[in-house]
Amino acid sequence: MKNAPDPKADLSAQIAQAIRDAIVEGRMIVDERLPSEAELAEQFSVSRPTVREALKRLAAQSLIRTARGAFGGAFVNHLRYEDAYGQQITTSTLLLSMNAVSFETACEARYALERACTPLAADRRGPDHLATMRAEIHRQSQAGLSDEAFCASDVAFHRALVDAAGNPVLSYQLAGAVEAMQPLMNMITFTARSREAIVRLHSRIADALQAHDAAAAESALHELEAYTQTLGRDVMAARAARAGQ
Amino acid sequence: MKNAPDPKADLSAQIAQAIRDAIVEGRMIVDERLPSEAELAEQFSVSRPTVREALKRLAAQSLIRTARGAFGGAFVNHLRYEDAYGQQITTSTLLLSMNAVSFETACEARYALERACTPLAADRRGPDHLATMRAEIHRQSQAGLSDEAFCASDVAFHRALVDAAGNPVLSYQLAGAVEAMQPLMNMITFTARSREAIVRLHSRIADALQAHDAAAAESALHELEAYTQTLGRDVMAARAARAGQ
DNA sequence: GGCATTTAAATGTCTGACAATTTGATTGGC
DNA sequence: GCCAATCAAATTGTCAGACATTTAAATGCC
């Protein structure tokens, strides 16, 4: 199709794009071996280092993997969920930090997405999901927990909620939204009182899912979003006040 | 923190990871210039080609950009939404095709995510969003439209719906879900009758958003999901029958 | 002072070589 | 004949040095 190589791009970028197209369009199947670097260099009429740079670009996106030795080489990679998770989280985190997305916008997106999972989660949650959520709630109730640990537990709780929907595509899409929020959440100082409020809402969510009550879970999530927004606004106000002094 | 360089990884991968950590952890800020390749080579005690491969890895993830010439070099990239979109779509598409995700699972995820946008979209949709949706509906009504063009218009319609929520983070997260479905949707042959049904549901969604009626939009989306699932099941059944012959 | 030229710095590319690693065949011992 | 150790071949990983290309700043001319 789009066989027009961008003339302004570097050679290594053009070659990477050509191979990427071949993979994405299905002309190369999973675990198929690419020609050796020397052969590719000849095919594209470039030198081996140039081919290597192209292959490294693809390797960075987990599209290929390489192995040394005889019968080694570059292979079309079977993209696993965990690889995709990692990339999505990195990209989402950077996007949030670099575009200076407001706490409000990120929070709104995150909870909107989580509510999308709720009806499915209420339907399909298994005992393991509930157990994870209960365990994280218990951890969050412990005194002396650092703010970072509280945040991490919060993420684990919400991931369990997402996973309870039993849809790997949904879990993948939401991994970025939930994890990327963590740096923003880490700016918040969780007082004993706010922790108590969050734990209570988490419990309500777990209870609702256990009772297969999607509406109750959604309502609790709405309240949690509102409460989180309040906490975020307080932090931002405090920051602004400090900066204005 | 994790200053333990993975000894089994390639040098170029280790260097890429070191620089990536520096960027992600904020030790390098946006638009800051990295040392030249020669300086990096000296710092890490490796050769220039090795450094270059590391930089290409980062460039593939849009973490850095490079410029030639005096005062050129590698700069920490300001990750724009469109860059992130592209990466997410590529990753999502591959993930769906390689893990052989069922049409059902992908479809369920997509519509669940879209419904997450609906309340916000009903609240904030502007005249431009409605105009885009109406235009795409009009295109979809035209006879003689190829299935690919119909699918592309469908994607455009749904992207307008997502964008109407007015939350860039949400738009980013959903870009992958909506676009990655397109190859799966392209397997469907849209008859005149099914197109008519889809157009009618699209119109109901646009009407509902125009009336700020989130519930009506959600209900239409539910019906659209059910109808799409039916179409998908028919295709799969036909395929299975053909394969079984 | 403004414009064309030069120059320097940096990335992009090439060539050739060697090191490291893995697989498969060969060879030797029993 | 069978098994193990060894060796050869193929391939990626790394290095060194060189040249081409591009870009912006410095310089000189008018």
Side-chain angles (χ1 to χ4, degrees), chain A residues 110-151:
Chain A
R110 174 188 161 169
Y111 281 100
L113 292 171
E114 284 196 36
R115 279 195 298 274
C117 301
T118 314
L120 294 170
D123 216 34
R124 302 180 187 159
R125 93 289 181 284
D128 46 342
H129 302 123
L130 290 173
T132 302
M133 296 170 80
R134 300 290 186 195
E136 297 299 337
I137 290 174
H138 181 254
R139 179 173 305 160
Q140 291 157 20
S141 314
Q142 286 177 331
L145 203 66
S146 73
D147 280 347
E148 283 74 19
F150 185 81
C151 268

Side-chain angles (χ1 to χ4, degrees), chain B residues 140-210:
Chain B
Q140 290 157 21
S141 313
Q142 287 177 331
L145 203 66
S146 72
D147 281 345
E148 283 74 21
F150 186 81
C151 269
S153 173
D154 184 73
V155 168
F157 175 88
H158 286 278
R159 288 204 62 151
L161 163 63
V162 170
D163 289 339
N167 186 312
V169 177
L170 216 42
S171 293
Y172 154 72
Q173 296 284 358
L174 265 90
V178 174
E179 301 258 355
M181 270 292 287
Q182 196 161 7
L184 290 177
M185 296 292 283
N186 270 329
M187 300 191 316
I188 296 177
T189 309
F190 292 98
T191 63
R193 197 153 135 265
S194 62
R195 289 191 188 191
E196 198 194 325
I198 290 170
V199 165
R200 205 176 317 121
L201 285 167
H202 282 178
S203 292
R204 270 182 54 194
I205 293 169
D207 291 343
L209 292 188
Q210 187 157 17

Side-chain angles (χ1 to χ4, degrees), chain A residues 10 12 20 23-24 30 49 52-54 56-61 63 66 68 76-81 84 87-88 90-96 98-99 101 104-106 108-110 112-117 120 124 165-170 172-174 176-178 180, chain B residues 10 12 20 23-24 30 49 52-54 56-61 63 66 68 76-81 84 87-88 90-99 101 104-106 108-110 112-113 115-117 120 124 165-170 172-174 176-178 180:
Chain A
D10 298 332
S12 68
R20 180 167 21 237
I23 296 175
V24 172
V30 167
R52 281 184 64 76
E53 287 180 9
K56 294 307 164 202
R57 294 178 118 106
L58 301 177
Q61 296 178 303
L63 264 73
T66 54
R68 282 161 75 151
V76 179
N77 197 21
H78 182 102
L79 189 60
R80 291 173 308 173
Y81 278 104
Q87 288 183 225
Q88 236 232 327
T90 305
T91 306
S92 299
T93 306
L94 273 161
L95 195 57
L96 251 59
M98 287 189 175
N99 286 277
V101 172
E104 189 183 351
T105 304
E108 175 181 282
R110 174 188 161 169
L113 292 171
E114 284 196 36
R115 279 195 298 274
C117 301
L120 294 170
R124 302 180 187 159
N167 186 314
V169 178
L170 215 43
Y172 154 71
Q173 297 284 359
L174 265 92
V178 174
Chain B
D10 296 334
S12 69
R20 179 165 23 236
I23 296 175
V24 172
V30 167
R52 281 183 64 76
E53 287 180 9
K56 294 307 164 201
R57 294 178 118 104
L58 300 177
Q61 297 178 304
L63 264 74
T66 54
R68 282 162 76 152
V76 178
N77 196 22
H78 183 103
L79 189 59
R80 291 172 310 173
Y81 279 105
Q87 287 182 227
Q88 236 232 326
T90 305
T91 306
S92 299
T93 306
L94 274 161
L95 195 57
L96 250 59
S97 68
M98 286 188 175
N99 287 276
V101 173
E104 189 183 350
T105 304
E108 175 181 282
R110 174 187 160 170
L113 293 171
R115 279 194 298 273
C117 302
L120 296 170
R124 303 180 187 160
N167 186 312
V169 177
L170 216 42
Y172 154 72
Q173 296 284 358
L174 265 90
V178 174

